[in-house]
Amino acid sequence: MLESKIPSGSVENKWTDYKGHCKLVNPANKRKLEVIVVGTGLAGASAAASLGELGYRVKAFCFQDSPRRAHSIAAQGGINAAKNYQNDGDSTFRLFYDTVKGGDYRSREANVHRLAEVSANIIDQCVAQGVPFAREYGGLLANRSFGGVQVKRTFYAAGQTGQQLLIGAYQALERQVALGSVKQYTRHEMLDVVVIDGKARGIIARNLITGELERFFGHAVVLASGGYGNVFYLSTNAMGSNATAAWKAHLKGAFFGNPCFTQIHPTCIPVSGDHQSKLTLMSESLRNDGRIWVPKKKDETRKANDIPEEDRDYYLERRYPAFGNLVPRDVASRAAKERCDAGYGVGTTKQAVYLDFKYNLINKYGRAEANKHGIENPDEETLIRLGKEVVKEEYGNLFEMYEKITGENPYEVPMRIYPAVHYTMGGLWVDYELMTTVKGLYALGEANFSDHGANRLGASALMQGLADGYYVIPYTIGNYLADEIATKPIPTTHEAFEAAEKTVNDRINTLMNIKGNQPVESFHKRLGKIMWEKCGMARNEKGLAEAITEIQQLRKEFWSDVRIPGDIKEMNPELDKAGRVADFMELAELMCKDALDRKESCGGHFREESQTEEGEAKRDDANFSYVSAWEFKGESNWDLHKEPLTFEVVKLTQRSYK
């Protein structure tokens, strides 16, 4: 039976009451307790820094050569917070409501409200760290619009918000490293969790430089290792991003929540050929100032700038007049796919739509700047020139990145965009305290399933990662560790450490001894093709059943014919990749199984058999208003546990953005 540990009382008081009644560890006792943090992105770095500052002895691990290389650095558009600087109607409740609705009513109310509550504190924390958020002329922090909401609540630092926030968290982390509260292990990859008497007590990590396996004890283990979008091969994730840490925890008893809930981002540079190894994100913030359209005529051959207004279909504005270009990501992605599938796509592949800035360059920014300069009746050329300067300040690095990749100047011609795999709402199942079903094992940020339901609203990933690390885990882990004060550090010679290391070592040796003919990359590409075509933007029963069979066959082929050059006791990126791809194959099967079981459409999970007459996602609240929590029972074998979702504040309705 799943125990979510949601506090009683009204939703707006749950977190306050929890903090007022949870157990505490006094500062002297904190020095006796060791905590392992795996991952040093926003969630991991903020957690390690916060726990170190509280006095715990922290060991922080990342597989990169520096915490600053965590994938959080790639986030572009912003971070949400309910500060209502714009005075346009935002509030903690509005952020809570938008997030539950945006997730298509498949998230826990209690967790989401807590997230909305602490959001404002995050901004203050980051400003104090020196994060250079954009500011209005009066000195207040600036806000921009993001999908799924009708207020401006997204704080940003040009198009590099993730980078600036990560530097802030990194500084906090490195301060604790210098003080000796945190010990940092770079180029170390966690390959197993050590569980003793039902509690997480350490990890086995591989030193990626020497190839040696190393054992580490902790009174508790915190996983902040990101999501699993690279199961699709092509995604907006860094190429090193993987699911191994979370998957090893799953194999040791941590349930996996909602694995089929993956997000397709609507604003990415389209695929250009089979040579690509990843895709590039264009921030969703660009939808704030751009208009998305396709030609009204099929197989249009004219260049974008030669197509007059009357021949353009601004399909999001046409279909969703209330939200227009700012509908949630899942809605925008499916709408783009529908237009392209119907023959209205653009570019050489016809798998793209236009994102055009000329209208707002002229009318929103250009005219405002002309008025400021006292220019009466300016011509179009002047308006564009003035508008460009404003847009450069807000989005300049994004425009430069697009031009470098495509060779096209987005100030002059519309961007071409198409949906791509971006974020995973699923992850390790956690309770209100962010603890998995293994005692003492926690999951933070994108590694858990908790806050976003079936679709994440833009600019909420950074918010959740920092909320979990700075404001949630310091309280909830103390509630657990208060009972562990008398537990002495367990020697890593303990039989559980011996057994875990042997399991890891045996698997590595098995991989190296296959000595087949095919490189790891070829298997990853084939897996990604199966997943994108049959468990991607749209899923159906026939395709998912086929995908499961194909993945099982691919996995057998992998374990009999993969080729890994080099040796174990050395730096061997191909061996690292092989282990991660092997884990992806197991996870991919579970994703398809979960998608097959959930016979409804909700958020990013679109079952073709369950849609409205207008082609929108059609939920089945009577039968599927629950979190899917899968328990591993053996190869290709899982048991499904269900956590019922109850909605006491937000009324269950069919989502509408019209």
Side-chain angles (χ1 to χ4, degrees):
M1 182 67 183
L2 292 170
E3 186 181 354
S4 60
K5 298 181 188 173
I6 297 172
S8 58
S10 61
V11 70
E12 63 269 17
N13 293 323
K14 289 181 189 293
W15 181 231
T16 301
D17 288 348
Y18 176 90
K19 289 189 294 181
H21 295 92
C22 65
K23 297 173 186 175
L24 300 176
V25 181
N26 84 49
N29 285 331
K30 284 172 183 164
R31 291 194 290 271
K32 302 174 185 175
L33 296 167
E34 301 180 42
V35 180
I36 288 171
V37 178
V38 179
T40 54
L42 282 182
S46 59
S50 299
L51 295 174
E53 191 164 9
L54 286 171
Y56 296 106
R57 293 161 58 198
V58 180
K59 303 182 186 95
F61 294 81
C62 66
F63 67 77
Q64 300 95 339
D65 57 3
S66 166
R68 283 186 59 180
R69 293 197 184 272
H71 185 56
S72 301
I73 204 169
Q76 298 169 345
I79 176 171
N80 288 332
K83 279 188 169 291
N84 196 32
Y85 283 157
Q86 303 290 330
N87 210 26
D88 60 355
D90 201 10
S91 64
T92 296
F93 179 84
R94 182 76 65 178
L95 174 52
F96 158 66
Y97 174 83
D98 286 343
T99 305
V100 174
K101 177 185 176 184
D104 217 355
Y105 307 92
R106 290 294 175 262
S107 52
R108 278 197 207 121
E109 279 191 339
N111 286 64
V112 176
H113 198 280
R114 175 175 65 189
L115 178 63
E117 285 179 68
V118 304
S119 65
N121 297 337
I122 296 169
I123 303 302
D124 296 338
Q125 167 91 357
C126 294
V127 169
Q129 290 174 340
V131 173
F133 286 120
R135 292 181 181 268
E136 299 285 8
Y137 68 95
L140 282 178
L141 301 184
N143 290 117
R144 59 171 46 143
S145 299
F146 254 67
V149 302
Q150 291 178 303
V151 298
K152 286 188 174 182
R153 67 161 65 102
T154 303
F155 296 79
Y156 63 95
Q160 51 183 245
T161 313
Q163 178 177 343
Q164 299 301 335
L165 291 173
L166 186 61
I167 289 171
Y170 171 75
Q171 289 174 155
L173 171 62
E174 292 307 308
R175 178 172 180 270
Q176 295 306 315
V177 171
L179 291 171
S181 302
V182 177
K183 189 165 184 183
Q184 189 169 281
Y185 295 87
T186 58
R187 288 293 187 190
H188 279 69
E189 182 168 26
M190 188 201 106
L191 294 180
D192 208 354
V193 181
V194 178
V195 179
I196 301 174
D197 296 330
K199 295 181 178 180
R201 293 300 192 194
I203 65 169
I204 306 297
R206 183 168 180 266
N207 184 321
L208 299 181
I209 302 294
T210 66
E212 297 289 337
L213 296 180
E214 300 174 12
R215 309 172 186 180
F216 299 92
F217 165 79
H219 289 89
V221 177
V222 176
L223 300 184
S225 50
Y228 49 91
N230 275 355
V231 71
F232 290 89
Y233 185 70
L234 283 179
S235 81
T236 65
N237 289 265
M239 289 176 65
S241 297
N242 63 86
T244 288
W247 192 249
K248 299 308 183 189
H250 175 57
L251 300 184
K252 277 295 180 72
F255 292 3
F256 212 101
N258 296 335
C260 78
F261 286 172
T262 55
Q263 180 168 81
I264 314 296
H265 197 294
T267 319
C268 299
I269 297 178
V271 177
S272 61
D274 292 337
H275 63 283
Q276 278 185 268
S277 53
K278 78 175 298 294
L279 297 174
T280 303
L281 173 69
M282 287 285 101
S283 170
E284 178 170 307
S285 62
L286 296 173
R287 290 201 277 149
N288 178 27
D289 285 314
R291 300 179 74 195
I292 295 172
W293 62 277
V294 292
K296 287 183 178 179
K297 189 177 77 173
K298 287 186 179 182
D299 301 316
E300 176 66 75
T301 56
R302 287 176 291 180
K303 293 181 179 179
N305 287 343
D306 295 336
I307 301 174
E309 266 311 288
E310 60 269 19
D311 291 342
R312 300 182 179 192
D313 177 17
Y314 296 94
Y315 59 89
L316 289 178
E317 298 171 38
R318 169 172 56 81
R319 291 178 59 177
Y320 309 101
F323 281 73
N325 295 296
L326 290 175
V327 292
R329 290 173 174 177
D330 60 313
V331 177
S333 293
R334 280 197 298 275
K337 181 178 187 296
E338 184 275 327
R339 287 290 80 191
C340 290
D341 289 350
Y344 297 94
V346 301
T348 54
T349 65
K350 300 300 181 185
Q351 292 295 299
V353 299
Y354 288 128
L355 176 56
D356 198 336
F357 295 89
K358 190 172 182 180
Y359 179 86
N360 276 339
L361 275 177
I362 296 172
N363 292 291
K364 181 177 178 180
Y365 293 122
R367 293 193 188 284
E369 287 297 298
N371 288 334
K372 281 165 58 177
H373 288 84
I375 302 173
E376 295 185 13
N377 302 316
D379 57 23
E380 185 174 294
E381 184 179 342
T382 301
L383 290 173
I384 290 175
R385 177 176 55 80
L386 293 171
K388 273 184 185 179
E389 295 306 312
V390 182
V391 171
K392 275 181 183 176
E393 188 174 328
E394 194 160 337
Y395 304 111
N397 63 314
L398 297 173
F399 279 51
E400 289 171 15
M401 184 166 66
Y402 182 87
E403 185 171 7
K404 283 181 179 178
I405 292 171
T406 66
E408 297 175 355
N409 183 347
Y411 292 107
E412 308 294 341
V413 297
M415 286 184 180
R416 286 175 291 107
I417 58 168
Y418 193 71
V421 173
H422 179 56
Y423 187 89
T424 51
M425 285 76 66
L428 293 177
W429 183 92
V430 292
D431 59 24
Y432 187 74
E433 296 182 318
L434 305 185
M435 190 190 291
T436 69
T437 47
V438 176
K439 288 184 179 179
L441 179 64
Y442 295 81
L444 276 56
E446 194 179 356
N448 73 32
F449 89 98
S450 71
D451 291 3
H452 305 297
N455 172 63
R456 177 175 68 75
L457 290 182
S460 287
L462 304 184
M463 176 174 63
Q464 186 212 348
L466 291 178
D468 287 356
Y470 281 137
Y471 295 104
V472 179
I473 197 67
Y475 284 95
T476 62
I477 202 169
N479 196 47
Y480 171 75
L481 290 175
D483 296 328
E484 297 295 323
I485 296 167
T487 303
K488 303 295 183 191
I490 299 171
T492 55
T493 53
H494 187 283
E495 60 185 14
F497 280 92
E498 296 273 1
E501 183 177 320
K502 184 178 184 304
T503 299
V504 173
N505 194 51
D506 289 349
R507 187 173 190 259
I508 290 173
N509 279 295
T510 300
L511 281 168
M512 290 299 297
N513 289 328
I514 294 170
K515 301 187 186 304
N517 299 303
Q518 300 182 60
V520 177
E521 191 83 349
S522 67
F523 287 100
H524 196 182
K525 279 186 176 182
R526 288 162 63 189
L527 175 66
K529 193 169 190 295
I530 295 169
M531 293 299 290
W532 178 248
E533 291 181 352
K534 297 182 177 177
C535 194
M537 290 178 69
R539 299 105 185 253
N540 59 58
E541 186 170 352
K542 179 176 179 288
L544 289 166
E546 290 172 351
I548 290 171
T549 301
E550 290 171 16
I551 292 166
Q552 290 172 346
Q553 292 171 346
L554 185 64
R555 191 166 69 238
K556 287 179 183 176
E557 188 179 342
F558 173 89
W559 284 100
S560 64
D561 198 33
V562 72
R563 182 182 75 247
I564 305 170
D567 296 316
I568 295 173
K569 301 297 184 183
E570 66 178 9
M571 188 173 181
N572 190 340
E574 280 298 296
L575 176 58
D576 306 339
K577 190 192 299 182
R580 296 166 189 170
V581 171
D583 294 332
F584 276 142
M585 288 186 183
E586 295 175 12
L587 171 57
E589 184 178 351
L590 178 59
M591 290 169 66
C592 293
K593 187 178 180 70
D594 185 43
L596 188 60
D597 179 79
R598 189 172 284 274
K599 296 179 173 62
E600 66 161 353
S601 290
C602 55
H605 169 63
F606 188 73
R607 282 290 294 266
E608 292 175 351
E609 302 92 335
S610 182
Q611 55 183 300
T612 66
E613 291 181 0
E614 297 174 321
E616 305 291 347
K618 185 178 179 182
R619 293 197 324 272
D620 181 355
D621 294 328
N623 295 304
F624 294 99
S625 189
Y626 60 76
V627 177
S628 301
W630 295 90
E631 179 184 9
F632 180 73
K633 305 296 285 187
E635 184 177 328
S636 299
N637 185 15
W638 289 271
D639 281 350
L640 173 61
H641 302 262
K642 300 177 182 179
E643 179 200 343
L645 291 170
T646 56
F647 296 90
E648 300 172 4
V649 179
V650 180
K651 184 181 177 183
L652 277 169
T653 58
Q654 189 69 32
R655 272 195 319 175
S656 175
Y657 292 94
K658 296 185 176 181

